[in-house]
Amino acid sequence: MPALIDTVAWVRVEGGKILCARPRGKSVFYIPGGKREGAESDLETLLREVEEELTVALLPATVVHVGTYEAQDAGLPDVAVVRMSCYTGDYRGTLAASSEIEETAWFSYADRPLVPPVDQLLFDDLKASGELD
């Protein structure tokens, strides 16, 4: 039975591009977010992860669930299934890569091959809805 990796992600689209981040020591970009700690709710996980990675504070009252995606990731042991619950939300502060993040980038649909399979499903939906160039 493959392991389930349960993650929460922040979907930030501006000007037809989505914000992605590459963690220090990794070659792959991801939608910002991460795994919950203990009994954290999706919202608690999202607020903590975004602040840790991008040094901004999401405004909890503006956070909206936009979809949940699941895909196998051959790059992980036991071909794990990754579940990514995606949320939009406004923030305060200035977006900046934290010490955990090597770099951030704004990706268009053409950059889809640079993200993991579960992130690619989100890219497909954003392209279909006209949000992603």
Side-chain angles (χ1 to χ4, degrees):
M1 179 86 182
L4 175 69
I5 299 173
D6 189 20
T7 66
V8 179
W10 181 42
V11 178
R12 185 69 191 181
V13 178
E14 293 180 14
K17 297 191 182 319
I18 186 168
L19 180 63
C20 293
R22 184 171 62 81
R24 199 165 293 289
K26 300 207 173 173
S27 60
V28 177
F29 280 86
Y30 299 89
I31 306 300
K35 298 178 210 158
R36 73 184 77 246
E37 292 180 359
E40 279 182 329
S41 68
D42 280 8
L43 181 60
E44 289 166 335
T45 304
L46 190 69
L47 297 176
R48 178 183 51 75
E49 286 286 347
V50 169
E51 188 166 3
E52 284 176 6
E53 293 182 359
L54 300 168
T55 72
V56 296
L58 287 186
L59 305 175
T62 69
V63 173
V64 177
H65 182 256
V66 293
T68 299
Y69 301 89
E70 285 190 10
Q72 288 194 318
D73 191 331
L76 296 170
D78 304 321
V79 192
V81 172
V82 178
R83 175 187 298 144
M84 183 173 72
S85 299
C86 298
Y87 295 84
T88 58
D90 295 330
Y91 67 94
R92 68 171 182 272
T94 302
L95 285 172
S98 72
S99 58
E100 289 183 14
I101 301 298
E102 189 77 38
E103 70 178 303
T104 59
W106 292 91
F107 281 4
S108 67
Y109 191 74
D111 299 306
R112 181 183 181 273
L114 302 176
V115 299
V118 73
D119 297 42
Q120 291 178 8
L121 298 174
L122 170 65
F123 272 55
D124 293 344
D125 277 2
L126 291 173
K127 177 70 173 171
S129 68
E131 293 178 71
L132 205 58
D133 289 341

